[in-house]
Amino acid sequence: MKKFLIILLFFGFTHAASALTLTVYPDADPETTSVDGMVGQVQVGLSWASITGAAGNSATPSTADNHAARWQDNTTNTWQNLSRGIFLFDTSSLGDCDTINSGTMSIYGNAKNNGSGSNSPTVNVYTSTPASNTNLVGGDFAQVGSTAQATAITFTNFSTTGYNDFTLNGTGLSNISKTGITKFGTREASYDVTGTAPTWAGDGTQTYFEIYFAEQTGTANDPKLVIDYTSSACGGAALSQESDFIVFE
Amino acid sequence: MNIEQRIVIIKKLIAAMTLLVSLLQAQSVHLPTQKLGEVKLGVVKPLTDYKFGYIKRDDAGRITEVAVRFYEGAITTENEEVMHGATSSIEPVTRYRRTKRLAKTEIPHITERFIKEQNGADAKIYTDADFGNIYTDEQLRAFLNTKLAGDANRIPIDQEKNL
């Protein structure tokens, strides 16, 4: 017995902890856990300052493909539509004492359009604080943050045939919840977040990054959050794999 | 042929005609892209599918644990925004839409380990003890498709059938 305990202690304190990976997906409609979808402000004749600062009046949490970021021009130098994305992930399967090493939020592109081509739109990940974890309302439009959680992806580099990967920075990693729901969102980064009006291109013209949400049929196009982490027992030695748990049992 | 034999034949004819009418009525509700469900003596079964909740991998990339969400749904037509380059319009869109998240008690062909997610919904847990040594999402889908096929009350969507 004594020999067994010595072996256990040796294994527990000297066995180097290795990185594990957790991939998490939003819950498809009808949501019971973690919603994703698009929110927006839809109103004709708004200045850029008015539409970016609006309270929001539109939400589509149940469509399969929609926009991670979008604006639509109206009459000269006014706008009628601005959209943002919201993505919630149930990350409670992480351990409270696990160490998060890196993380990537990925969205699968479906289409994109650059209005007249005279602007340089980009899209990035931000935090979000929707009123509910399982539904979206218009007011959630104003609940997408403005602090970048990753490096923005340019219009040119945005893929419409595969995943677009946003590697989370330190702030983004710190916003991953180990006990509940992790809440991110997407916005157009060069004009919406900065408040700089884009060049008006013509009434009805849209500029957008279109993606698949969790409602898309199948499992190959869903938004996802990939977390590399080291599993640790609270107050104990670092554990590397499930087999380690078996040893300690 | 006596009267009793004639009555038996007439009864069989009536039964056959009733069955034929019920089958024709059931077929009339089919949508063009995929059947709502299997037609069996006029009974239409709903469709079913699954989604990943989470996937855990070890340091070698081997899948060790998966949480799976099961749903019931149908192919329906609803108005949605459809993009046309720089413009868009609201149009009828026909596609698979989920109508409910299935609880553990509604999928009795899938047994044993479930977890409660945030808000209490059931998610089925599979581990490498169930699917062996696999590394890719594609291998995982092939395994889960076999589980979906075991549902006697629903029909898997085309995208989640092993061919």
Side-chain angles (χ1 to χ4, degrees), chain B residues 86-105:
Chain B
T87 61
S88 64
S89 59
I90 303 297
E91 300 175 12
V93 174
T94 300
R95 65 174 174 85
Y96 175 68
R97 291 180 175 83
R98 297 162 193 85
T99 51
K100 75 172 177 179
R101 172 91 173 262
L102 294 173
K104 179 181 176 181
T105 52

Side-chain angles (χ1 to χ4, degrees), chain A residues 134-151:
Chain A
T134 56
N135 193 23
L136 297 177
V137 294
D140 294 332
F141 170 80
Q143 299 302 315
V144 183
S146 58
T147 301
Q149 310 290 296
T151 300

Side-chain angles (χ1 to χ4, degrees), chain A residues 20 40 55 93 122 184 189 229:
Chain A
L20 308 178
S93 60
T122 58
F184 285 127
Y229 68 103

Side-chain angles (χ1 to χ4, degrees), chain A residues 148-207:
Chain A
Q149 310 290 296
T151 300
I153 294 179
T154 64
F155 182 83
T156 303
N157 289 338
F158 185 83
S159 171
T160 56
T161 56
Y163 274 109
N164 295 278
D165 298 326
F166 296 88
T167 303
L168 298 178
N169 56 27
T171 305
L173 295 178
S174 69
N175 284 317
I176 294 174
S177 171
K178 297 177 193 172
T179 56
I181 305 294
T182 297
K183 303 174 184 180
F184 285 127
T186 50
R187 292 177 71 176
E188 197 292 314
S190 300
Y191 303 97
D192 177 11
V193 173
T194 64
T196 306
T199 301
W200 181 84
D203 193 2
T205 301
Q206 299 199 40
T207 301

Side-chain angles (χ1 to χ4, degrees), chain A residues 41 43 45-56 79 82 84 141 195:
Chain A
Q41 175 69 28
Q43 183 180 351
L46 292 180
S47 68
W48 190 250
S50 294
I51 201 166
T52 54
W79 287 265
L82 184 66
R84 299 165 182 166
F141 170 80

Side-chain angles (χ1 to χ4, degrees), chain A residues 11 15-20 229-232 237-245, chain B residues 58-59:
Chain A
F11 188 81
H15 185 56
S18 52
L20 308 178
Y229 68 103
T230 305
S231 182
S232 299
L239 305 174
S240 63
Q241 297 179 25
E242 278 195 336
S243 58
D244 289 338
F245 285 103
Chain B
D58 65 15
D59 56 347

Side-chain angles (χ1 to χ4, degrees), chain A residues 100-105 166-169 173 176 225-228:
Chain A
I100 295 172
N101 303 317
S102 65
T104 303
M105 189 181 119
F166 296 88
T167 303
L168 298 178
N169 56 27
L173 295 178
I176 294 174
L225 178 63
V226 181
I227 302 165
D228 291 325

Side-chain angles (χ1 to χ4, degrees), chain A residues 18-19 21 23 25-27 29 32 62 70 90 93 204 206 208 210 214-216 218-220 222 241-242, chain B residues 51-57 59 65 69 71 81 83 85-86 88 95 98 101 118-119 121 141 157 159:
Chain A
S18 52
T21 304
T23 306
Y25 301 83
D27 187 12
D29 181 71
T32 54
S62 307
R70 176 255 298 265
D90 182 353
S93 60
Q206 299 199 40
Y208 57 82
E210 186 173 317
E215 283 67 29
Q216 174 68 2
T219 54
D222 296 334
Q241 297 179 25
E242 278 195 336
Chain B
K51 285 280 192 180
F52 301 145
Y54 67 75
I55 301 173
K56 286 185 175 180
R57 287 180 163 87
D59 56 347
E65 184 177 298
R69 299 159 175 153
Y71 299 87
E81 184 178 18
M83 303 306 296
S88 64
R95 65 174 174 85
R98 297 162 193 85
R101 172 91 173 262
Q118 299 279 309
N119 290 347
R141 289 187 193 102
I157 60 171
Q159 292 85 349

